[in-house]
Amino acid sequence: MTEIQTDVLVVGGGLGGVAAALGALRAGRAVVLTEEYDWLGGQLTSQAVPPDEHSWVEQFGITASYRALRDGIRDYYRAHYPLIPRARSRPDLNPGGGHVSKLCHEPRVAVAVIEAMLAPYRGSGKLRVLQPYRPIAAGTDGDRVDSVTVAHRGGGNETTISARYVLDATETGELLPLTGTEYVTGFESRHDTGEPSAPEAAQPDNMQAVSVCFAIDHVDGDHTIDRPASYDFWRDYKPDFWGDRMLSFRSPNPRTLEISERSFTPNPDDDPLAVLADQRLTGGDQNLWTFRRIAARRNFVDGAYDSDICLVNWPMIDYFESPVIDVPDAARHLAAARELSRSVLYWLQTEAPRPDGGTGFRGLRLRGDVTGGGPDGLAQAPYIRESRRIRAEYTVVEQDLSLAVRGDRGAVPYPDSVGVGMYRIDLHPSTGGDNYVDVGCCPYQIPLGALIPARMENLLPAGKNIGTTHITNGSYRLHPVEWNVGEVAGVLADFCLTRGVAPRAVRADPGLLADFQHRLTRDGVELRWPDISGY
């Protein structure tokens, strides 16, 4: 058993965890960062999800350090990739020309940029990163966390880390049960939250689908994978609300719930530099190939790429047979989610209808090298949309930010704002059999009260585990908001250590709150929006 002592322990190296570590490191704190998977970056890298961002991301509405991440990704392409001159000269370079985001890119590039952002602190000895390690136990004393024990993913080595502040940046809020921190899961009841979209009774086991993403290209030859063992089950799987078998190009439109037909045309004859990625106008998912395309061959010199690279995070890979949080057979369901994704690929290669009237795209090639995955060629980690969530001093509810409720008034303003965010309230089908919930959203502030547990004193959430509801998590779960939350948690830990106060005192004392907000503003965290409308 190895033992380590540090100022700030960040458990979970996703976007929130990386931002939390940077926030504390910039202030000179010693930080230990642990991560279960081979890549830091979470949903952006090991989960292989291109950035889901609001429409104004190129102008405002993100933290300075998140902008540095985005700029770094573009600069990495300019420095290392054979871009055509037109692409290289674009300040708003979108390497994949995908419709979901203004910056669709290969996950490995984000890994490189994140590592570069952390490198000076590794070199100075201020940062120690433990990979691949996952939390297995915690030591507490009343309302404080004394230590967390992590174990190597391969078994054997265990390390106990003692820290003055412990930040939970895991994808599923793993530290909450380990530390006895009060939390909720699934749907809250309308009686508890007053939310228009909430059910009458709480449904703690009703959670959003998880997805295992994968990358594909389309080249000459037959690249059909072996038939998955559970293919027959998934081939015939037909949810009541789906409108067809799940393995088809027909599924509900998330915004209207009408059954719509998507198209799929590998390597279309398009100009990726002409793509307008703006979710105010459309969800961008009508053409599944270009929806989350992460490498557009025509952005690169002739011969550099034989094909576009398409990231598959589509409706048909959503696994909602069971939650994977607080269930005894989570590993079985995560394995089944991976089987679903391989079944989708096999269907695409063998049975999917082609525009020419034939079936199957046998030239589709699984690109596990792009996602850094294991033997199955899929993303390293499942895409987790919904975490355990702390019982917080303040819980963000639908009527705080719903465009239908707030209208021209905009989102509820918070005097304790520690950041901003914006995304439609976007809930995928859930394990209780619910269809999409997709609600227009106002640009909102992030309240400090949502980061403060009701009881624990030195444990802070640093990701999707803050005080939102099942409903509002649908807007808070995306890349820039997770980063903002994590960054604030890291800065808050340092602020509290410097001032000798508890996080809840910062929120409660107007002078401390003003000082903390000034610190955030100095660090490039935006606390309010200009006068704009939601969508």
Side-chain angles (χ1 to χ4, degrees):
M1 172 75 72
T2 303
E3 295 186 1
I4 301 173
Q5 291 189 336
T6 191
D7 293 331
V8 178
L9 168 62
V10 182
V11 181
L15 288 177
V18 169
L22 286 169
L25 288 163
R26 285 198 305 263
R29 296 294 173 184
V31 175
V32 172
L33 174 64
T34 75
E35 167 54 29
E36 179 177 358
Y37 293 97
D38 295 339
W39 286 351
L40 297 175
Q43 60 177 316
L44 189 62
T45 60
S46 61
Q47 297 173 34
V49 180
D52 286 302
E53 300 168 331
H54 58 72
S55 296
W56 307 280
V57 67
E58 302 291 347
Q59 292 80 42
F60 48 77
I62 56 177
T63 76
S65 63
Y66 186 79
R67 188 169 302 284
L69 170 66
R70 299 179 85 253
D71 290 346
I73 290 169
R74 285 176 169 144
D75 288 345
Y76 191 96
Y77 273 94
R78 296 186 184 105
H80 300 289
Y81 278 69
L83 296 165
I84 61 172
R86 285 180 60 228
R88 186 180 302 279
S89 65
R90 289 284 292 263
D92 60 346
L93 171 65
N94 189 348
H99 288 256
V100 74
S101 170
K102 298 177 188 297
L103 183 58
C104 289
H105 58 84
E106 296 174 46
R108 195 180 298 274
V109 176
V111 176
V113 175
I114 286 170
E115 290 289 354
M117 295 174 81
L118 294 173
Y121 304 106
R122 288 196 197 231
S124 70
K126 289 291 187 181
L127 172 64
R128 182 168 179 178
V129 180
L130 300 181
Q131 279 179 281
Y133 279 79
R134 58 183 181 83
I136 59 170
T140 60
D141 182 6
D143 298 338
R144 298 186 62 82
V145 181
D146 290 333
S147 65
V148 175
T149 299
V150 296
H152 193 278
R153 188 179 64 202
N157 297 339
E158 293 184 7
T159 301
T160 296
I161 306 116
S162 300
R164 299 164 72 185
Y165 271 85
V166 175
L167 279 52
D168 185 349
T170 61
E171 299 297 320
T172 55
E174 289 295 307
L175 294 190
L176 304 185
L178 292 178
T179 59
T181 301
E182 293 79 7
Y183 68 90
V184 296
T185 60
F187 269 108
E188 295 86 351
S189 72
R190 189 175 304 168
H191 172 78
D192 289 336
T193 67
E195 294 176 302
S197 301
E200 290 298 326
Q203 300 171 7
D205 295 328
N206 191 359
M207 306 180 204
Q208 282 198 72
V210 302
S211 302
V212 180
C213 303
F214 57 94
I216 52 175
D217 62 8
H218 190 271
V219 294
D220 292 340
D222 186 342
H223 302 278
T224 306
I225 63 171
D226 293 339
R227 184 185 179 98
S230 59
Y231 179 70
D232 289 343
F233 173 83
W234 292 116
R235 183 181 183 275
D236 297 333
Y237 189 73
K238 187 177 181 181
D240 293 339
F241 56 83
W242 205 256
D244 204 332
R245 293 183 307 174
M246 196 158 173
L247 300 196
S248 71
F249 291 136
R250 288 169 52 80
S251 61
N253 180 307
R255 299 187 183 184
T256 67
L257 301 186
E258 296 178 355
I259 306 304
S260 61
E261 180 112 13
R262 273 83 170 180
S263 64
F264 181 70
T265 308
N267 295 321
D269 185 22
D270 72 332
D271 178 3
L273 294 176
V275 168
L276 177 61
D278 189 342
Q279 295 202 16
R280 285 176 297 185
L281 306 177
T282 173
D285 60 346
Q286 287 309 299
N287 183 335
L288 292 174
W289 183 268
T290 58
F291 177 34
R292 295 183 184 271
R293 182 172 57 182
I294 57 174
R297 68 195 187 283
R298 289 182 171 169
N299 274 339
F300 306 94
V301 299
D302 288 344
Y305 280 71
D306 293 330
S307 166
D308 295 346
I309 302 176
C310 170
L311 195 286
V312 178
N313 179 17
W314 304 340
M316 64 182 76
I317 70 166
D318 281 2
Y319 180 86
F320 42 82
E321 280 286 280
S322 168
V324 296
I325 295 174
D326 291 346
V327 294
D329 52 353
R332 179 172 70 85
H333 288 291
L334 288 170
R338 301 189 81 87
E339 272 285 289
L340 167 58
S341 291
R342 287 184 62 82
S343 294
V344 168
L345 174 59
Y346 186 77
W347 176 82
L348 288 168
Q349 292 173 321
T350 60
E351 296 191 62
R354 298 196 309 260
D356 64 4
T359 57
F361 297 83
R362 286 166 177 77
L364 290 177
R365 179 174 59 173
L366 182 60
R367 293 296 305 273
D369 55 325
V370 170
T371 57
D376 64 3
L378 309 178
Q380 297 173 25
Y383 177 28
I384 304 290
R385 296 181 174 88
E386 183 174 351
S387 172
R388 300 174 179 91
R389 303 180 297 279
I390 63 166
R391 290 197 179 275
E393 284 203 347
Y394 184 84
T395 300
V396 179
V397 292
E398 180 182 1
Q399 52 271 33
D400 283 1
L401 60 154
S402 165
L403 186 60
V405 174
R406 298 293 302 174
D408 293 339
R409 295 172 297 167
V412 170
Y414 302 125
D416 62 341
S417 172
V418 291
V420 296
M422 169 63 201
Y423 201 77
R424 289 179 66 90
I425 300 174
D426 173 20
L427 303 179
H428 282 234
S430 62
T431 57
D434 293 276
N435 205 338
Y436 290 94
V437 175
D438 194 292
V439 178
C441 185
C442 302
Y444 56 82
Q445 296 173 314
I446 302 168
L448 177 59
L451 276 71
I452 300 177
R455 179 178 59 85
M456 300 299 282
E457 295 293 342
N458 71 330
L459 178 116
L460 294 171
K464 295 187 284 285
N465 52 352
I466 65 171
T468 58
T469 65
H470 175 86
I471 302 294
T472 56
N473 166 72
S475 181
Y476 270 68
R477 65 183 173 82
L478 288 312
H479 302 65
V481 178
E482 181 187 348
W483 183 280
N484 191 320
V485 167
E487 183 170 359
V488 169
V491 175
L492 181 60
D494 168 70
F495 186 88
C496 291
L497 288 171
T498 300
R499 297 294 185 97
V501 296
R504 70 184 76 257
V506 177
R507 180 172 185 252
D509 184 293
L512 286 172
L513 178 60
D515 288 350
F516 182 60
Q517 290 174 318
H518 176 74
R519 162 80 177 275
L520 292 175
T521 301
R522 186 196 72 190
D523 285 356
V525 178
E526 298 179 22
L527 303 186
R528 57 190 56 85
W529 287 93
D531 186 16
I532 55 174
S533 300
Y535 54 87

